[in-house]
Amino acid sequence: MEPLNDTLQKKPMTDLINIAMRAAHEAGQVILDIYESGDFDVEIKGDNSPLTRADRASHEVIMRHLTNLDIPVLSEEGREMPFAERRGWQRLWVVDPIDGTKEFIKRNGEFTVNIALVDGGRPMLGVIYVPVSGELYVGSTEAGAYKAVIPATSSCLDFESFAASAQTLPRPTGDRVFTVVAS
């Protein structure tokens, strides 16, 4: 596999962002169809976490977008990959097809589609899409971070148009300290 820099020279960062944005948005559309149908087909995984038909469908959509890029994909809903197989990966896509499956099942709208490109243990780009609200967050080390509302019916997503109409993040907050919360 080529070094990431070679891959990026052939495929600019904005192309990779566009692919991730489209993957997340299309996955969000599939998720919303299932969300609105109420037919979730819930199973319990080995770690006692839920898995729905929407998790699987979102994973399939995202994989269709990312697998032809010659960058391995580590997805929460993908096949289990032993550390020995992943150990040598310097760059990879990290995907959670639905972050917040329990919230999806509760139907409270608080779930996201998450896609990130990591190189050498450092994030290079990230896309977070909130299907229920249409909020799309996009950030990269080269381009900065942005937020906009993208309707589920939107059919054309490209980073340049998105960034031109999006809110730049973080917004100026003066001397306010940021607090980061994780669960």
Side-chain angles (χ1 to χ4, degrees):
M1 200 172 294
E2 306 170 42
L4 181 60
N5 292 337
D6 292 346
T7 302
L8 292 179
Q9 286 174 2
K10 291 179 185 175
K11 193 165 282 295
M13 183 66 78
T14 54
D15 287 353
L16 294 171
I17 293 170
N18 285 338
I19 291 166
M21 286 173 55
R22 290 178 187 135
H25 186 259
E26 186 180 327
Q29 291 173 320
V30 168
I31 291 167
L32 277 180
D33 288 344
I34 295 168
Y35 188 70
E36 291 167 0
S37 79
D39 180 17
F40 300 164
D41 191 24
V42 180
E43 300 173 19
I44 302 299
K45 297 189 291 188
D47 65 357
N48 280 335
S49 65
L51 174 70
T52 67
R53 184 167 68 98
D55 289 284
R56 290 188 299 273
S58 176
H59 170 78
E60 290 172 16
V61 166
I62 294 166
M63 292 302 288
R64 280 198 308 267
H65 286 271
L66 300 183
T67 53
N68 61 351
L69 298 174
D70 294 326
I71 300 171
V73 179
L74 183 63
S75 173
E76 183 172 332
E77 307 313 338
R79 71 175 178 86
E80 189 171 322
M81 296 183 196
F83 178 69
E85 183 178 342
R86 302 184 319 254
R87 176 181 18 207
W89 295 356
Q90 289 301 304
R91 68 196 167 287
L92 67 145
W93 291 102
V94 179
V95 173
D96 192 347
I98 297 182
D99 185 20
T101 301
K102 290 177 184 176
E103 285 71 25
F104 173 87
I105 294 167
K106 291 177 189 174
R107 298 183 56 85
N108 67 15
E110 296 179 7
F111 54 88
T112 60
V113 177
N114 301 340
I115 302 173
L117 178 64
V118 176
D119 183 35
R122 299 179 65 110
M124 299 298 292
L125 72 86
V127 173
I128 299 171
Y129 184 58
V130 186
V132 171
S133 67
E135 292 170 300
L136 179 64
Y137 298 83
V138 177
S140 81
T141 54
E142 290 182 8
Y146 303 87
K147 171 193 173 187
V149 175
I150 305 297
T153 57
S154 200
S155 61
C156 182
L157 282 175
D158 72 274
F159 178 70
E160 290 174 4
S161 298
F162 169 81
S165 63
Q167 175 183 20
T168 304
L169 300 174
R171 294 188 320 219
T173 59
D175 293 331
R176 187 175 144 215
V177 175
F178 287 94
T179 302
V180 178
V181 179
S183 65

